[in-house]
Amino acid sequence: MKKKVRIRIKRYSLVVIMVALYSALCFMSCDNERLPQASYVRVNDSLPFSFEMSDRASFNYYYRDSNTVFCNIVYPAAIEYAHFYCTYHKIDSARFRSLSEDTYKLAYSHAIVADSITEFSFARNDGTGVVMFRLSGNVATPVQFAVTDSTNYFFNASLYFDNGAKCDTLTEVISYLQKDIDRLIETFELK
C-alpha cells in the first residue's frame, strides 16, 4: 500500500522563504554598487603619450628601450585585482605588420577555451585605428585592444585578473572596466 506524502509549509515558513529569496535578489542586483564610481586622471609623466585612466587604479611603467614602454594599470581588490598590461611601441611599417599579427595571434590563441571572440575595429575621431577583442568564457584575457596610427606608434593592452578569478564569473566587473577602456582609447594621444 502506497502512502501519499504531503508537504505542508506553514505560513510563516513561506514568508521566511519569500523574504530570503527577495533579499538574495536585492543583493545580486545591488552588487554593482560595490564597484566605485570612476573619476578620471590624465597620465602624463615623462612618457611619449598620455591618456586618461580611472583614479581608482595605480599606474607604473618602465622603458624597455628607447622605442618600447611597458606600463601597468592596476586596480584594487574592490575591482577584483584587475590589471591591464600595456605596451607602447614606436614603429615603422614593418613593425606595424608584425605587431598587428601578434595582436590577432594573442586574441585567437584563446579560441580553444573561449566561448566566443568578438572583434571590433573602428577609427577614432583623429583617424587612428582601434581593434578590440572581447572574449567570453574562462579565458586569461577577456578584453584586448590596440590603438595605432600605423606609421608612428602602436599601443596595445590586455586585461587580466591577478587574483586567479575565472573570467567567466566576472561579467559585471568586465562591463564596469569597459568604461575605463573606452575612456583610455578616446583620450589616448601622442605628446
Side-chain angles (χ1 to χ4, degrees):
M1 188 172 192
K2 282 190 172 181
K3 193 176 183 179
K4 287 186 178 178
V5 177
R6 264 189 150 165
I7 299 175
R8 283 192 153 165
I9 299 176
K10 293 185 179 181
R11 190 176 303 215
Y12 73 89
S13 297
L14 186 57
V15 170
V16 169
I17 291 170
M18 296 293 284
V19 168
L21 285 172
Y22 178 76
S23 297
L25 285 172
C26 284
F27 178 74
M28 288 187 319
S29 67
C30 297
D31 192 40
N32 63 2
E33 291 177 7
R34 73 179 176 78
L35 296 172
Q37 185 67 25
S39 294
Y40 295 95
V41 294
R42 183 153 288 280
V43 170
N44 280 314
D45 295 323
S46 62
L47 298 166
F49 58 89
S50 71
F51 57 81
E52 291 181 8
M53 61 173 251
S54 171
D55 65 347
R56 302 293 181 175
S58 61
F59 179 77
N60 60 66
Y61 67 93
Y62 66 94
Y63 281 85
R64 183 176 117 198
D65 54 44
S66 61
N67 295 322
T68 308
V69 181
F70 291 118
C71 21
N72 299 301
I73 302 171
V74 183
Y75 288 82
I79 310 172
E80 300 295 337
Y81 298 103
H83 194 129
F84 284 100
Y85 291 107
C86 312
T87 310
Y88 168 86
H89 305 271
K90 285 184 186 176
I91 61 167
D92 57 24
S93 60
R95 187 79 173 123
F96 169 73
R97 282 190 296 281
S98 172
L99 290 169
S100 293
E101 289 173 9
D102 290 348
T103 298
Y104 281 86
K105 283 179 189 175
L106 176 61
Y108 287 97
S109 69
H110 294 84
I112 295 170
V113 294
D115 294 336
S116 68
I117 300 174
T118 306
E119 178 184 328
F120 306 92
S121 296
F122 57 94
R124 297 184 331 150
N125 291 337
D126 65 358
T128 58
V130 176
V131 64
M132 182 181 303
F133 301 94
R134 296 283 313 255
L135 292 80
S136 65
N138 191 24
V139 294
T141 59
V143 180
Q144 301 169 31
F145 66 91
V147 180
T148 183
D149 67 357
S150 73
T151 55
N152 297 304
Y153 74 89
F154 193 96
F155 180 86
N156 60 331
S158 297
L159 171 64
Y160 290 86
F161 291 94
D162 289 348
N163 65 352
K166 295 185 179 217
C167 290
D168 57 356
T169 65
L170 296 171
T171 312
E172 175 192 346
V173 175
I174 294 166
S175 293
Y176 170 84
L177 291 170
Q178 187 64 49
K179 295 172 196 160
D180 291 356
I181 294 167
D182 294 344
R183 185 66 169 252
L184 187 157
I185 290 170
E186 289 169 14
T187 61
F188 185 90
E189 60 187 23
L190 290 182
K191 291 183 178 174

